[in-house]
């Protein structure tokens, strides 16, 4: 492959070369490597394999396959293990074909929940996940979760039904056609789907197969939509789908580009800004930091990629970030910052000019459109490359560890330990302290945070030392993502996943009943303060008084037990320890209903200040 390695200075003109390798030679699947020896995501490795949909020998061509069966086989060979969705008459043939395949099919309560769970199952397993729905509202219900999957960089294929040709324009039940629904965006490739099409004939399957395989082999995310009319699902496959392998080598910077980056970073002390896109290069980033003495900060989604207890870690940036980061940038302002795998978007940077180094950024990302976008006026040396490959190459230019005399004592995030009180309600800071001991340090559970104040408390107060332990959606940021996504995460990681959620999100769209049905050991920790508190507190902050965001007080334990889960209600801080231990020990889904003090102000001032700067204020 011709590597894409042309550096761009945003103050000059430049063009990236783009070459794609499509290999038709069989390639066997490889086992996933740890972050210490590979930066290639599991999904990309699995898709470098032979995809054999249907036998193509003359003795077997007479075998009759339906389109639905062919699609199920195609998905099996692409490494799909799970399909989440809600059934319906129009999708029945495909639903049955999936159930008769090796793919595990889970029937969810709501299509949006299925889509959120699919995104989190992808991040937990590295394998593409299917979402299936019926026509009409089944499709529209799933769109929010699918948007989140696209923004988060997941690999998801959306299978939906559409109205048969002969019924279109005749007011069929939940008619799904150009007569009743917009075609552009939902059924065509664009801002939502990297690839979307309506399958009108089995002869189109080879091209669909090729496009999906190529998309799943991408080093970044891929969300596709395959709409299949009901009559096409049961039609016979007339075209043989031959054996073919599609592989895409990750973009790599040239030796000359890496050498130039090393030169720029060697001029004066530099900082490293780690994002979620660097999650497969944790070991290499740590080596680079320790060899160079660089200060390290991370985005909210990047927590744990670099150990938060490391002496060179200065804190989390952006939303609910640490004041130690701003103190570092003001007192130790680096000449340049090496940005690895983050868009530097609003929740990561708030586009704060304090975060711009003296000579700008060296920005590495797999997406060539990312570098220079958040800070268009800042000097940016841009490299399109896989982060792990780039850092490995960069390490060769820093062969020796810097002397201790060059190491600086950087500002560090403060960690306040608050003693629990014997009376309630529970302060969120105390809950996070107990969670740190019991769940973060005392288990290997995945920890997730829902949109709202849950974001803020978890990002600011929890500390992670390993990648893959923390998940938060600060990209699309949809409420309902984590209360449903935790089911997909717990299923795919084959262990515990704990979601920190608000009572508003829990009422909006949860999948506790789905976890009960399939005995998935998900844990919900509900911050129950009887209101959409981020909305109420935020409105007051920006000057709009009297906003009513209250919710009638809910007993989530009664709801959980009524569904078939276990639960415990916590009204005193002294009871938190036992409640969290019970949740971890339970083999069933578990809900902890924590009565939270609504007067406590979360560390979300930066978000409110950003809103004021954008004009959302009454002052």
């Amino acid at each position: 492959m011709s590597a894409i390695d042309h550096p761009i200075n945003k103050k000059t003109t430049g063009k990236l070369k783009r070459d794609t390798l499509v290999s038709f030679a069989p390639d066997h699947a490889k086992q996933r490597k740890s972050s210490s020896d590979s930066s290639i995501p599991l999904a990309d490795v699995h898709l470098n394999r032979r995809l054999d949909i249907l036998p193509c020998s003359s003795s077997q061509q007479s075998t009759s396959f339906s389109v639905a069966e062919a699609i199920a086989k195609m998905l099996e060979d692409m490494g799909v293990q799970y399909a989440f969705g809600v059934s319906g008459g129009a999708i029945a043939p495909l639903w049955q074909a999936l159930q008769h395949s090796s793919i595990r099919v889970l029937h969810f309560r709501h299509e949006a929940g299925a889509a959120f769970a699919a995104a989190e199952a992808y991040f937990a397993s590295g394998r593409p996940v299917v979402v299936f729905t019926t026509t009409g509202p089944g499709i529209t219900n799933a769109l929010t979760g699918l948007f989140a999957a696209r923004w988060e960089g997941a690999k998801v294929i959306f299978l939906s039904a559409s109205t048969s040709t002969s019924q279109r324009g005749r007011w069929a039940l939940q008619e799904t056609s150009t007569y009743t629904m917009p075609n552009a965006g939902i059924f065509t490739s664009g801002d939502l789907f990297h690839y979307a099409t309506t399958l009108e004939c089995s002869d189109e399957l080879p091209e669909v197969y090729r496009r999906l395989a190529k998309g799943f082999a991408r080093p970044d995310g891929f969300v596709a939509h395959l709409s299949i009319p009901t009559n096409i699902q049961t039609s016979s496959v007339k075209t043989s789908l031959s054996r073919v392998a599609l592989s895409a080598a990750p973009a790599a910077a040239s030796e000359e580009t890496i050498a130039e980056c090393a030169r720029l970073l060697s001029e004066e002390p530099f900082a490293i800004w780690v994002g979620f896109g660097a999650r497969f290069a944790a070991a290499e980033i740590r080596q680079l930091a320790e060899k160079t003495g660089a200060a390290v900060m991370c985005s909210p989604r990047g927590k744990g990629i670099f150990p938060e207890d490391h002496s060179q870690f200065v804190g989390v940036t952006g939303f609910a970030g640490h004041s130690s980061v701003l103190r570092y940038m003001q007192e130790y302002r680096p000449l340049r910052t090496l940005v690895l795998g983050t868009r530097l978007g609003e929740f990561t940077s708030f586009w704060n000019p304090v975060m711009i180094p003296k000579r700008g950024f060296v920005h590495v990302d797999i997406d060539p459109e990312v570098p220079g976008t958040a800070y268009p006026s800042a000097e940016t040396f841009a490299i399109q490359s896989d982060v792990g490959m780039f850092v490995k190459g960069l390490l060769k230019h820093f062969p020796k560890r810097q002397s201790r005399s060059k190491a600086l004592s950087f500002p560090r995030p403060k960690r306040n330990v608050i003693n629990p009180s014997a009376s309630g309600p529970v302060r969120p800071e105390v809950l996070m302290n107990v969670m740190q001991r019991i769940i973060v340090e005392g288990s290997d559970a995945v920890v997730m945070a829902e949109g709202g104040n849950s974001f803020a408390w978890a990002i600011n107060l929890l500390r992670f030392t390993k990648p893959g332990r923390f998940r938060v959606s600060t990209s699309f940021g949809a409420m309902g993502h984590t209360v449903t996504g935790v089911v997909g995460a717990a299923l795919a990681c084959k262990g515990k996943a704990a979601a920190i959620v608000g009572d508003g999100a829990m009422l909006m769209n949860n999948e506790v009943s789905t976890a009960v049905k399939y005995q998935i050991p998900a844990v919900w920790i509900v911050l129950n303060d009887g209101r959409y508190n981020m909305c109420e507190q935020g409105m007051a902050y920006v000057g709009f008084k009297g906003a009513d965001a209250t919710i009638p007080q809910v007993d989530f334990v009664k709801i959980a037990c009524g569904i078939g889960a276990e639960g415990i209600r916590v009204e005193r801080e002294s009871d938190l320890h036992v409640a969290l231990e019970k949740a971890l020990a339970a083999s069933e889904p578990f809900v902890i209903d924590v009565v939270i003090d609504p007067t406590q102000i979360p560390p979300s001032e930066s978000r409110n200040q950003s809103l004021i700067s954008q004009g959302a204020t009454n002052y």
Side-chain angles (χ1 to χ4, degrees):
M1 178 177 179
S2 175
I4 306 167
D5 57 36
H6 189 78
I8 298 175
N9 186 315
K10 282 289 177 178
K11 294 184 178 294
T12 64
T13 58
K15 186 177 181 180
L16 291 170
K17 297 181 291 182
R18 197 177 192 94
D19 295 318
T20 302
L21 171 66
V22 179
S23 169
F24 291 92
D27 188 9
H28 298 290
K30 303 179 181 73
Q31 295 297 318
R32 183 180 192 178
K33 299 180 180 180
S34 69
S35 60
S36 61
D37 59 12
S38 174
S39 63
I40 302 175
L42 177 63
D44 303 324
V45 174
H46 276 296
L47 289 166
N48 289 333
R49 61 187 290 175
R50 185 172 64 199
L51 302 176
D52 184 11
I53 304 291
L54 294 178
C56 57
S57 64
S58 58
S59 62
Q60 293 175 310
Q61 282 185 347
S62 60
T63 304
S64 177
F65 283 85
S66 70
V67 166
E69 292 169 328
I71 291 172
K73 174 61 176 170
M74 176 176 69
L75 296 170
E76 283 181 319
D77 287 344
M78 287 181 179
V80 172
Q81 291 182 320
Y82 302 111
F84 304 156
V86 179
S87 61
I91 199 73
L94 184 55
W95 184 33
Q96 174 153 336
L98 289 170
Q99 289 186 310
H100 284 95
S101 71
S102 64
I103 297 169
R104 187 176 179 190
V105 180
L106 282 78
H107 200 274
F108 273 63
R109 188 177 67 84
H110 193 275
E111 293 88 350
F116 287 130
E120 294 307 319
Y122 165 74
F123 288 120
S125 68
R127 291 177 178 267
V129 182
V130 163
V131 174
F132 62 89
T133 74
T134 191
T135 49
I139 296 170
T140 56
N141 282 348
L143 292 181
T144 301
L146 294 167
F147 265 112
R150 170 78 183 248
W151 281 49
E152 290 291 310
K155 286 187 168 75
V156 173
I157 177 170
F158 177 41
L159 302 178
S160 73
S162 58
T163 303
S164 300
T165 306
S166 61
Q167 308 299 322
R168 295 174 190 170
R170 301 172 59 192
W171 299 108
L173 178 65
Q174 299 177 341
E175 179 168 339
T176 302
S177 71
T178 55
Y179 288 93
T180 58
M181 294 182 70
N183 188 54
I186 298 179
F187 301 98
T188 59
S189 306
D191 293 333
L192 173 53
F193 298 109
H194 294 93
Y195 170 63
T197 189
T198 299
L199 188 71
E200 300 286 9
C201 174
S202 65
D203 292 344
E204 298 172 356
L205 275 174
E207 174 61 11
V208 170
Y209 166 23
R210 186 190 71 83
R211 293 287 296 270
L212 293 178
K214 185 177 179 180
F216 286 147
R218 290 168 46 143
D220 53 353
F222 180 72
V223 179
H225 181 194
L226 181 56
S227 175
I228 314 106
T230 305
N231 64 315
I232 300 298
Q233 295 175 43
T234 54
S235 64
S236 297
V237 173
K238 301 175 183 178
T239 304
S240 176
L241 304 182
S242 59
R243 296 173 180 177
V244 62
L246 291 171
S247 60
S254 68
E255 286 297 326
E256 292 79 10
T257 297
I258 295 174
E260 177 62 11
C261 289
R263 185 190 70 78
L264 294 174
L265 297 174
S266 298
E267 290 179 352
E268 280 190 29
F270 67 96
I272 302 174
W273 199 340
V274 179
F276 187 63
R279 63 193 181 279
F280 297 106
E284 292 83 1
I285 293 170
R286 180 167 182 167
Q287 289 178 45
L288 179 64
E290 292 178 346
K291 281 187 174 183
T292 61
V296 182
M297 48 197 166
C298 73
S299 70
R301 289 204 304 161
K303 283 172 67 70
I305 296 173
F306 189 84
E308 293 190 77
D309 60 355
H310 197 285
S311 61
Q312 289 172 241
F313 182 71
V314 298
V316 180
T317 67
F319 180 76
H322 299 123
S323 59
S324 51
V325 173
L326 299 179
R327 193 162 69 251
Y328 163 76
M329 291 301 297
Q330 292 165 339
E331 298 176 7
Y332 299 82
R333 190 181 177 199
L335 185 69
R336 291 184 174 87
T337 295
L338 175 62
V339 181
L340 301 173
T342 169
R343 303 183 186 101
L344 300 183
E346 182 178 6
F347 257 42
T348 296
S349 69
F350 289 110
W351 311 300
N352 189 339
V354 173
M355 299 302 296
I356 302 176
K358 298 174 186 175
R359 293 292 303 277
F361 302 102
V362 175
H363 198 152
V364 183
D365 201 277
I366 201 70
D367 184 347
E369 299 299 320
V370 164
T373 300
Y375 289 100
S377 62
E379 186 176 349
T380 299
F381 189 83
I383 306 100
Q384 185 190 12
S385 176
D386 171 84
V387 172
M389 293 176 64
F390 174 84
V391 178
K392 283 181 179 178
L394 192 61
L395 281 168
K396 298 175 184 178
H397 295 269
F398 297 96
K400 296 181 180 179
R401 188 183 300 267
Q402 287 196 354
S403 64
R404 289 184 179 272
S405 61
K406 292 185 179 181
L408 299 173
S409 178
F410 298 124
R412 301 270 294 122
K414 293 182 179 180
R415 184 175 179 182
N416 298 321
V417 177
I418 306 173
N419 293 324
S421 171
S423 59
V426 177
R427 290 164 291 176
E429 298 97 321
V430 176
L431 171 60
M432 294 300 122
N433 281 338
V434 180
M435 281 192 63
Q436 180 71 36
R437 296 197 306 271
I438 304 300
I439 295 182
V440 178
E441 297 171 8
S443 78
D444 59 357
V446 173
V447 179
M448 310 172 72
E450 179 63 81
N453 282 352
S454 302
F455 266 176
W457 296 118
I459 290 169
N460 187 268
L461 296 177
L462 296 181
R463 304 284 188 269
F464 295 87
T465 59
K466 295 179 181 179
R469 290 288 311 280
F470 181 68
R471 275 289 299 145
V472 62
S473 171
T474 55
S475 294
F476 198 56
M479 283 187 67
H481 185 128
T482 298
V483 293
T484 56
V486 66
V487 176
L491 175 71
C493 74
K494 297 178 171 61
K496 285 284 184 180
I500 307 166
V501 306
D503 49 350
M506 195 69 174
L507 287 169
M508 184 178 288
N509 186 21
N510 72 72
E511 292 286 345
V512 176
S513 60
T514 304
V516 169
K517 178 177 180 179
Y518 299 104
Q519 285 299 284
I520 299 169
V523 176
W524 289 263
I525 302 168
V526 185
L527 278 60
N528 190 348
D529 52 17
R531 68 205 68 213
Y532 289 95
N533 214 357
M534 172 173 273
C535 299
E536 183 172 286
Q537 292 171 339
M539 289 288 281
Y541 189 99
V542 300
F544 295 99
K545 306 298 183 181
D548 181 10
T550 59
I551 301 170
Q553 195 70 43
V554 177
D555 189 329
F556 289 100
V557 174
K558 288 183 178 178
I559 295 175
C561 293
I563 294 173
E566 291 191 42
I568 188 169
R569 189 173 176 89
V570 177
E571 298 179 345
R572 297 181 302 177
E573 293 172 352
S574 55
D575 295 333
L576 285 170
H577 191 286
V578 171
L580 292 171
E581 286 189 332
K582 283 185 176 181
L584 283 180
S587 57
E588 300 85 3
F590 202 99
V591 174
I592 304 178
D593 187 6
V594 186
V595 180
I596 289 289
D597 182 355
T599 66
Q600 298 297 303
I601 305 298
S604 56
E605 182 179 7
S606 55
R607 166 60 173 167
N608 295 326
Q609 288 288 348
S610 178
L611 289 171
I612 290 173
S613 70
Q614 296 172 54
T617 178
N618 196 37
Y619 291 124

